[in-house]
Amino acid sequence: MDMSETVSRLAQRKAKRRQEILQAAAQLFSQRGYDATTADAIAEVVHLTKSALYTYVGSKEEIAVLLLEQVVEQLLHNAREIESEPVSPVDKLYRLIVRHVEVIGHHPASSLLFLHSEHILSAAQYPRLYALRDQYEALIRQWIAEGKAAGIFDVRDVRIAGWLMLGSLNWVIRWFSPQGTLSTESIGHEYARILLRGLSSEKKEQQQEEA
Amino acid sequence: MDMSETVSRLAQRKAKRRQEILQAAAQLFSQRGYDATTADAIAEVVHLTKSALYTYVGSKEEIAVLLLEQVVEQLLHNAREIESEPVSPVDKLYRLIVRHVEVIGHHPASSLLFLHSEHILSAAQYPRLYALRDQYEALIRQWIAEGKAAGIFDVRDVRIAGWLMLGSLNWVIRWFSPQGTLSTESIGHEYARILLRGLSSEKKEQQQEEA
């Protein structure tokens, strides 16, 4: 085993450990709340001393940012995949809405952080997190604008329509329960149906019917 | 001046002082965040010692609950007023949406609390706050259900539609700026337009056109 192999194995082990810490922290954050969770408590769950914990992650705040980045990266990855599909803005947004709810449903603890700690994590301190979020928002606005330009959507202000959509989606974190009777899939499709009918130009539909 | 007059004046003065404390606290919460605001800081702004502050309010948490109650009471007051109007479910919800955004715009500091501290204030500890919120949500669901029963709305699950609506509305707190170019009025009307078109049954509209 040469030197570079050793380094790579060490890096892998470190990355794995880091991921374990992130998951443990996410659990604690969602059970006790972000503010009530101490670095000591996180260290205890993963059987590390606090100083050993800090060789993997910088601080409790950094853990929160890493967790949030993973969620937003997943959302953005989906959005870029959808962007490359040769479908209409309506279909792009439909798919994005369904997958947004799916991502939230699969990362409930990290998603909750977004509601409860975003005010602590300022854009100036964590430019990468906010840049990812802005790219996601920008794609949504772009598709709404494309639909508006094509006469498919009837919206006065693309920003307002984008905020309405994202706000309703992010609020799902607040009431969704993985133990409940509603699946993320059924929520996603119902949201997509309501939100896209809400954006759609009625005139356009009439024109299509007349044509 | 008899005894009862003196008592009533004292009560009035106390209520006024209490309101001053609430307003000062709301300002601090929105500037520094709920968690970073101490009872000492609130006492300082209203020129009281901390122990004098506690003769007016029980704790920082109680201040937050009182502020939130005032906002939810205002929302519920509006909803009940609208409920008494002899108009269709569509018009009731339209008015409610416009007034919801208006209330948020007039109480930005208290409304922000709703996003940042609701997880600290549990339903078990503050049943009155949550009862008010539930009554508000119940009226919205009732109107959606009425519209659904009348065939005006096409929704599969009244709860999902209600959450979508309330989520998008509450998220306005997150991005609205009183210094920005958008007025609460224009936001409210655009939200109402998009959300109600989203709920509306297309079939019904077609039937009406055909009739």
Side-chain angles (χ1 to χ4, degrees), chain B residues 106-152:
Chain B
H106 280 104
H107 301 89
S110 305
S111 301
L112 254 174
L113 264 182
F114 183 64
L115 289 182
H116 294 163
S117 68
E118 204 208 23
H119 62 300
I120 308 167
L121 317 167
S122 77
Q125 282 174 285
Y126 300 100
R128 187 168 178 273
L129 173 65
Y130 286 85
L132 291 169
R133 190 202 58 177
D134 290 349
Q135 286 167 52
Y136 188 64
E137 278 195 29
L139 270 174
I140 291 174
R141 288 184 183 178
Q142 184 193 311
W143 299 340
I144 297 174
E146 283 170 13
K148 184 182 175 175
I152 304 168

Short mmCIF file of all heavy atoms in Angstrom, two decimals, chain B residues 106-152:
data_model
loop_
_atom_site.label_atom_id
_atom_site.label_comp_id
_atom_site.label_asym_id
_atom_site.label_seq_id
_atom_site.Cartn_x
_atom_site.Cartn_y
_atom_site.Cartn_z
N HIS B 106 -48.20 44.98 8.80
CA HIS B 106 -48.30 45.95 9.88
C HIS B 106 -47.64 45.48 11.17
O HIS B 106 -47.44 46.28 12.08
CB HIS B 106 -49.77 46.30 10.14
CG HIS B 106 -50.31 47.30 9.15
ND1 HIS B 106 -51.15 46.94 8.13
CD2 HIS B 106 -50.08 48.63 9.01
CE1 HIS B 106 -51.44 48.01 7.40
NE2 HIS B 106 -50.81 49.04 7.91
N HIS B 107 -47.38 44.20 11.28
CA HIS B 107 -46.73 43.66 12.48
C HIS B 107 -45.53 42.80 12.09
O HIS B 107 -45.48 41.61 12.41
CB HIS B 107 -47.70 42.80 13.29
CG HIS B 107 -48.93 43.53 13.73
ND1 HIS B 107 -50.06 43.59 12.98
CD2 HIS B 107 -49.18 44.23 14.87
CE1 HIS B 107 -50.98 44.30 13.63
NE2 HIS B 107 -50.48 44.70 14.77
N PRO B 108 -44.56 43.38 11.36
CA PRO B 108 -43.46 42.54 10.87
C PRO B 108 -42.65 41.90 12.00
O PRO B 108 -42.27 40.73 11.90
CB PRO B 108 -42.60 43.51 10.06
CG PRO B 108 -42.98 44.87 10.52
CD PRO B 108 -44.40 44.79 10.97
N ALA B 109 -42.41 42.64 13.09
CA ALA B 109 -41.57 42.10 14.16
C ALA B 109 -42.26 40.93 14.85
O ALA B 109 -41.65 39.88 15.08
CB ALA B 109 -41.22 43.19 15.16
N SER B 110 -43.54 41.10 15.19
CA SER B 110 -44.27 40.01 15.85
C SER B 110 -44.43 38.82 14.91
O SER B 110 -44.35 37.66 15.34
CB SER B 110 -45.65 40.48 16.30
OG SER B 110 -45.54 41.61 17.12
N SER B 111 -44.67 39.10 13.63
CA SER B 111 -44.87 38.01 12.68
C SER B 111 -43.61 37.17 12.52
O SER B 111 -43.67 35.96 12.40
CB SER B 111 -45.30 38.57 11.32
OG SER B 111 -46.49 39.31 11.46
N LEU B 112 -42.46 37.85 12.53
CA LEU B 112 -41.19 37.13 12.42
C LEU B 112 -41.02 36.12 13.56
O LEU B 112 -40.48 35.04 13.36
CB LEU B 112 -40.02 38.12 12.47
CG LEU B 112 -39.32 38.38 11.14
CD1 LEU B 112 -38.30 39.48 11.30
CD2 LEU B 112 -38.68 37.13 10.59
N LEU B 113 -41.51 36.50 14.73
CA LEU B 113 -41.47 35.61 15.89
C LEU B 113 -42.11 34.27 15.57
O LEU B 113 -41.71 33.23 16.07
CB LEU B 113 -42.27 36.23 17.03
CG LEU B 113 -41.53 37.01 18.07
CD1 LEU B 113 -42.52 37.49 19.10
CD2 LEU B 113 -40.46 36.16 18.72
N PHE B 114 -43.18 34.35 14.78
CA PHE B 114 -43.93 33.15 14.43
C PHE B 114 -43.04 32.16 13.68
O PHE B 114 -43.13 30.96 13.87
CB PHE B 114 -45.13 33.55 13.59
CG PHE B 114 -46.02 32.41 13.24
CD1 PHE B 114 -46.70 31.72 14.23
CD2 PHE B 114 -46.19 32.02 11.93
CE1 PHE B 114 -47.53 30.65 13.91
CE2 PHE B 114 -47.02 30.96 11.60
CZ PHE B 114 -47.68 30.28 12.60
N LEU B 115 -42.14 32.70 12.85
CA LEU B 115 -41.22 31.82 12.13
C LEU B 115 -40.08 31.35 13.02
O LEU B 115 -39.62 30.23 12.91
CB LEU B 115 -40.61 32.56 10.92
CG LEU B 115 -41.51 32.85 9.74
CD1 LEU B 115 -40.71 33.54 8.66
CD2 LEU B 115 -42.12 31.57 9.21
N HIS B 116 -39.61 32.21 13.90
CA HIS B 116 -38.35 31.91 14.60
C HIS B 116 -38.50 31.31 15.98
O HIS B 116 -37.52 30.84 16.54
CB HIS B 116 -37.52 33.18 14.70
CG HIS B 116 -37.06 33.68 13.37
ND1 HIS B 116 -36.60 34.93 13.17
CD2 HIS B 116 -37.01 33.05 12.17
CE1 HIS B 116 -36.27 35.08 11.90
NE2 HIS B 116 -36.52 33.96 11.28
N SER B 117 -39.69 31.37 16.56
CA SER B 117 -39.76 30.88 17.93
C SER B 117 -40.91 29.92 18.18
O SER B 117 -41.05 29.41 19.28
CB SER B 117 -39.85 32.05 18.90
OG SER B 117 -41.10 32.69 18.74
N GLU B 118 -41.71 29.66 17.17
CA GLU B 118 -42.87 28.81 17.42
C GLU B 118 -42.47 27.44 17.96
O GLU B 118 -43.19 26.84 18.75
CB GLU B 118 -43.72 28.65 16.14
CG GLU B 118 -45.17 28.30 16.44
CD GLU B 118 -45.80 27.51 15.31
OE1 GLU B 118 -45.07 26.89 14.54
OE2 GLU B 118 -47.03 27.52 15.24
N HIS B 119 -41.28 26.95 17.55
CA HIS B 119 -40.84 25.64 18.02
C HIS B 119 -40.49 25.66 19.51
O HIS B 119 -40.43 24.63 20.15
CB HIS B 119 -39.66 25.12 17.19
CG HIS B 119 -38.45 26.00 17.27
ND1 HIS B 119 -38.44 27.30 16.88
CD2 HIS B 119 -37.19 25.74 17.72
CE1 HIS B 119 -37.23 27.82 17.05
NE2 HIS B 119 -36.46 26.90 17.57
N ILE B 120 -40.24 26.84 20.06
CA ILE B 120 -39.93 26.95 21.49
C ILE B 120 -41.22 26.97 22.31
O ILE B 120 -41.28 26.49 23.43
CB ILE B 120 -39.12 28.24 21.77
CG1 ILE B 120 -37.91 28.31 20.84
CG2 ILE B 120 -38.71 28.32 23.23
CD1 ILE B 120 -37.25 29.67 20.82
N LEU B 121 -42.24 27.56 21.69
CA LEU B 121 -43.50 27.77 22.40
C LEU B 121 -44.46 26.62 22.07
O LEU B 121 -45.18 26.68 21.09
CB LEU B 121 -44.13 29.09 21.97
CG LEU B 121 -43.14 30.28 21.85
CD1 LEU B 121 -43.80 31.44 21.13
CD2 LEU B 121 -42.65 30.71 23.22
N SER B 122 -44.44 25.59 22.88
CA SER B 122 -45.23 24.41 22.54
C SER B 122 -46.71 24.61 22.82
O SER B 122 -47.11 25.42 23.66
CB SER B 122 -44.73 23.21 23.33
OG SER B 122 -45.19 23.30 24.65
N ALA B 123 -47.51 23.86 22.08
CA ALA B 123 -48.97 23.94 22.20
C ALA B 123 -49.43 23.62 23.62
O ALA B 123 -50.39 24.20 24.13
CB ALA B 123 -49.62 22.99 21.20
N ALA B 124 -48.72 22.70 24.28
CA ALA B 124 -49.12 22.28 25.63
C ALA B 124 -48.95 23.42 26.63
O ALA B 124 -49.76 23.61 27.53
CB ALA B 124 -48.29 21.08 26.06
N GLN B 125 -47.88 24.22 26.44
CA GLN B 125 -47.62 25.32 27.37
C GLN B 125 -48.51 26.52 27.11
O GLN B 125 -48.81 27.29 28.01
CB GLN B 125 -46.17 25.78 27.22
CG GLN B 125 -45.14 24.91 27.88
CD GLN B 125 -43.76 25.43 27.50
OE1 GLN B 125 -43.31 25.24 26.37
NE2 GLN B 125 -43.10 26.10 28.44
N TYR B 126 -48.86 26.73 25.84
CA TYR B 126 -49.60 27.93 25.48
C TYR B 126 -50.87 27.58 24.72
O TYR B 126 -51.01 27.92 23.54
CB TYR B 126 -48.70 28.88 24.67
CG TYR B 126 -47.50 29.29 25.49
CD1 TYR B 126 -46.27 28.69 25.30
CD2 TYR B 126 -47.63 30.24 26.50
CE1 TYR B 126 -45.17 29.03 26.08
CE2 TYR B 126 -46.55 30.58 27.30
CZ TYR B 126 -45.32 29.98 27.08
OH TYR B 126 -44.25 30.31 27.86
N PRO B 127 -51.80 26.90 25.41
CA PRO B 127 -53.00 26.42 24.71
C PRO B 127 -53.81 27.54 24.07
O PRO B 127 -54.39 27.35 23.00
CB PRO B 127 -53.79 25.71 25.82
CG PRO B 127 -53.23 26.20 27.11
CD PRO B 127 -51.80 26.53 26.83
N ARG B 128 -53.83 28.73 24.70
CA ARG B 128 -54.66 29.81 24.15
C ARG B 128 -54.16 30.23 22.77
O ARG B 128 -54.95 30.38 21.83
CB ARG B 128 -54.66 31.01 25.10
CG ARG B 128 -55.63 32.07 24.67
CD ARG B 128 -55.91 33.17 25.66
NE ARG B 128 -56.84 34.11 25.05
CZ ARG B 128 -56.43 35.13 24.30
NH1 ARG B 128 -55.16 35.34 24.12
NH2 ARG B 128 -57.33 35.93 23.72
N LEU B 129 -52.84 30.41 22.65
CA LEU B 129 -52.25 30.80 21.36
C LEU B 129 -52.61 29.79 20.27
O LEU B 129 -53.02 30.16 19.18
CB LEU B 129 -50.73 30.91 21.51
CG LEU B 129 -49.92 31.15 20.23
CD1 LEU B 129 -50.26 32.50 19.63
CD2 LEU B 129 -48.42 31.08 20.51
N TYR B 130 -52.46 28.51 20.62
CA TYR B 130 -52.70 27.48 19.62
C TYR B 130 -54.18 27.30 19.31
O TYR B 130 -54.56 26.94 18.20
CB TYR B 130 -52.01 26.17 20.03
CG TYR B 130 -50.52 26.29 19.82
CD1 TYR B 130 -49.71 26.87 20.81
CD2 TYR B 130 -49.94 25.93 18.62
CE1 TYR B 130 -48.34 27.04 20.60
CE2 TYR B 130 -48.59 26.09 18.41
CZ TYR B 130 -47.79 26.65 19.39
OH TYR B 130 -46.45 26.84 19.18
N ALA B 131 -55.03 27.59 20.32
CA ALA B 131 -56.48 27.53 20.07
C ALA B 131 -56.89 28.62 19.09
O ALA B 131 -57.69 28.37 18.17
CB ALA B 131 -57.24 27.67 21.39
N LEU B 132 -56.32 29.81 19.25
CA LEU B 132 -56.62 30.91 18.32
C LEU B 132 -56.18 30.54 16.91
O LEU B 132 -56.92 30.72 15.94
CB LEU B 132 -55.89 32.19 18.76
CG LEU B 132 -56.36 32.88 20.06
CD1 LEU B 132 -55.37 33.96 20.47
CD2 LEU B 132 -57.75 33.49 19.87
N ARG B 133 -54.96 30.02 16.81
CA ARG B 133 -54.44 29.62 15.50
C ARG B 133 -55.33 28.56 14.86
O ARG B 133 -55.65 28.62 13.67
CB ARG B 133 -53.01 29.11 15.64
CG ARG B 133 -52.32 28.91 14.30
CD ARG B 133 -51.17 27.94 14.39
NE ARG B 133 -51.58 26.63 14.89
CZ ARG B 133 -50.76 25.59 15.00
NH1 ARG B 133 -49.49 25.73 14.70
NH2 ARG B 133 -51.20 24.43 15.44
N ASP B 134 -55.74 27.58 15.66
CA ASP B 134 -56.57 26.49 15.14
C ASP B 134 -57.93 27.01 14.65
O ASP B 134 -58.46 26.51 13.65
CB ASP B 134 -56.78 25.41 16.21
CG ASP B 134 -55.49 24.63 16.48
OD1 ASP B 134 -54.53 24.79 15.69
OD2 ASP B 134 -55.45 23.89 17.48
N GLN B 135 -58.49 27.99 15.37
CA GLN B 135 -59.77 28.55 14.94
C GLN B 135 -59.63 29.25 13.59
O GLN B 135 -60.53 29.20 12.75
CB GLN B 135 -60.30 29.54 15.99
CG GLN B 135 -60.84 28.88 17.24
CD GLN B 135 -61.06 29.88 18.36
OE1 GLN B 135 -61.71 30.89 18.16
NE2 GLN B 135 -60.51 29.61 19.53
N TYR B 136 -58.50 29.93 13.42
CA TYR B 136 -58.24 30.62 12.16
C TYR B 136 -58.12 29.60 11.02
O TYR B 136 -58.77 29.73 9.98
CB TYR B 136 -56.97 31.45 12.30
CG TYR B 136 -56.67 32.37 11.13
CD1 TYR B 136 -57.52 33.41 10.82
CD2 TYR B 136 -55.53 32.19 10.36
CE1 TYR B 136 -57.24 34.28 9.76
CE2 TYR B 136 -55.24 33.04 9.30
CZ TYR B 136 -56.10 34.09 9.01
OH TYR B 136 -55.82 34.92 7.96
N GLU B 137 -57.31 28.59 11.26
CA GLU B 137 -57.13 27.53 10.25
C GLU B 137 -58.46 26.84 9.94
O GLU B 137 -58.74 26.50 8.79
CB GLU B 137 -56.15 26.47 10.77
CG GLU B 137 -54.70 26.84 10.59
CD GLU B 137 -53.76 25.64 10.77
OE1 GLU B 137 -54.17 24.49 10.48
OE2 GLU B 137 -52.62 25.88 11.17
N ALA B 138 -59.28 26.64 10.99
CA ALA B 138 -60.56 25.94 10.81
C ALA B 138 -61.50 26.74 9.89
O ALA B 138 -62.19 26.16 9.05
CB ALA B 138 -61.22 25.68 12.15
N LEU B 139 -61.51 28.07 10.04
CA LEU B 139 -62.38 28.89 9.18
C LEU B 139 -61.94 28.78 7.72
O LEU B 139 -62.77 28.66 6.82
CB LEU B 139 -62.36 30.35 9.63
CG LEU B 139 -63.42 30.73 10.67
CD1 LEU B 139 -63.21 32.17 11.15
CD2 LEU B 139 -64.84 30.59 10.09
N ILE B 140 -60.62 28.82 7.51
CA ILE B 140 -60.10 28.71 6.14
C ILE B 140 -60.49 27.36 5.53
O ILE B 140 -60.99 27.29 4.41
CB ILE B 140 -58.56 28.88 6.14
CG1 ILE B 140 -58.22 30.32 6.50
CG2 ILE B 140 -57.95 28.48 4.80
CD1 ILE B 140 -56.73 30.59 6.69
N ARG B 141 -60.31 26.29 6.32
CA ARG B 141 -60.68 24.96 5.82
C ARG B 141 -62.18 24.87 5.56
O ARG B 141 -62.60 24.22 4.60
CB ARG B 141 -60.29 23.90 6.85
CG ARG B 141 -58.80 23.67 6.92
CD ARG B 141 -58.50 22.54 7.87
NE ARG B 141 -57.08 22.33 8.01
CZ ARG B 141 -56.53 21.42 8.81
NH1 ARG B 141 -57.30 20.65 9.54
NH2 ARG B 141 -55.22 21.29 8.87
N GLN B 142 -62.95 25.49 6.43
CA GLN B 142 -64.41 25.46 6.27
C GLN B 142 -64.82 26.09 4.92
O GLN B 142 -65.63 25.54 4.18
CB GLN B 142 -65.06 26.23 7.42
CG GLN B 142 -66.57 26.20 7.43
CD GLN B 142 -67.13 27.24 8.41
OE1 GLN B 142 -66.69 27.30 9.57
NE2 GLN B 142 -68.06 28.06 7.95
N TRP B 143 -64.22 27.23 4.61
CA TRP B 143 -64.56 27.90 3.35
C TRP B 143 -64.10 27.08 2.14
O TRP B 143 -64.79 27.04 1.12
CB TRP B 143 -63.96 29.31 3.31
CG TRP B 143 -64.45 30.20 4.41
CD1 TRP B 143 -65.60 30.01 5.14
CD2 TRP B 143 -63.84 31.38 4.92
NE1 TRP B 143 -65.72 31.01 6.08
CE2 TRP B 143 -64.65 31.88 5.97
CE3 TRP B 143 -62.68 32.09 4.61
CZ2 TRP B 143 -64.36 33.03 6.69
CZ3 TRP B 143 -62.37 33.24 5.32
CH2 TRP B 143 -63.20 33.71 6.34
N ILE B 144 -62.92 26.47 2.26
CA ILE B 144 -62.45 25.62 1.15
C ILE B 144 -63.42 24.45 0.97
O ILE B 144 -63.81 24.11 -0.15
CB ILE B 144 -61.01 25.11 1.39
CG1 ILE B 144 -60.02 26.29 1.45
CG2 ILE B 144 -60.59 24.13 0.29
CD1 ILE B 144 -58.59 25.90 1.82
N ALA B 145 -63.84 23.86 2.10
CA ALA B 145 -64.77 22.72 2.04
C ALA B 145 -66.11 23.16 1.44
O ALA B 145 -66.72 22.42 0.65
CB ALA B 145 -64.98 22.14 3.43
N GLU B 146 -66.58 24.36 1.81
CA GLU B 146 -67.84 24.87 1.24
C GLU B 146 -67.72 25.03 -0.27
O GLU B 146 -68.62 24.66 -1.03
CB GLU B 146 -68.20 26.22 1.88
CG GLU B 146 -68.80 26.08 3.29
CD GLU B 146 -68.93 27.42 4.03
OE1 GLU B 146 -68.80 28.49 3.36
OE2 GLU B 146 -69.13 27.39 5.25
N GLY B 147 -66.58 25.58 -0.70
CA GLY B 147 -66.35 25.76 -2.13
C GLY B 147 -66.26 24.43 -2.87
O GLY B 147 -66.72 24.28 -4.00
N LYS B 148 -65.65 23.47 -2.19
CA LYS B 148 -65.52 22.13 -2.77
C LYS B 148 -66.91 21.49 -2.92
O LYS B 148 -67.24 20.94 -3.98
CB LYS B 148 -64.61 21.27 -1.89
CG LYS B 148 -64.32 19.90 -2.47
CD LYS B 148 -63.46 19.05 -1.53
CE LYS B 148 -63.31 17.64 -2.12
NZ LYS B 148 -62.41 16.79 -1.34
N ALA B 149 -67.70 21.59 -1.85
CA ALA B 149 -69.06 21.01 -1.86
C ALA B 149 -69.91 21.64 -2.95
O ALA B 149 -70.75 20.98 -3.57
CB ALA B 149 -69.70 21.17 -0.49
N ALA B 150 -69.69 22.93 -3.20
CA ALA B 150 -70.47 23.64 -4.21
C ALA B 150 -69.92 23.42 -5.62
O ALA B 150 -70.46 23.94 -6.60
CB ALA B 150 -70.49 25.14 -3.88
N GLY B 151 -68.82 22.67 -5.73
CA GLY B 151 -68.22 22.42 -7.05
C GLY B 151 -67.41 23.59 -7.59
O GLY B 151 -66.97 23.58 -8.73
N ILE B 152 -67.23 24.63 -6.77
CA ILE B 152 -66.44 25.80 -7.20
C ILE B 152 -64.95 25.48 -7.13
O ILE B 152 -64.16 25.93 -7.93
CB ILE B 152 -66.74 27.03 -6.31
CG1 ILE B 152 -68.24 27.36 -6.30
CG2 ILE B 152 -65.94 28.24 -6.76
CD1 ILE B 152 -68.63 28.37 -5.23
#
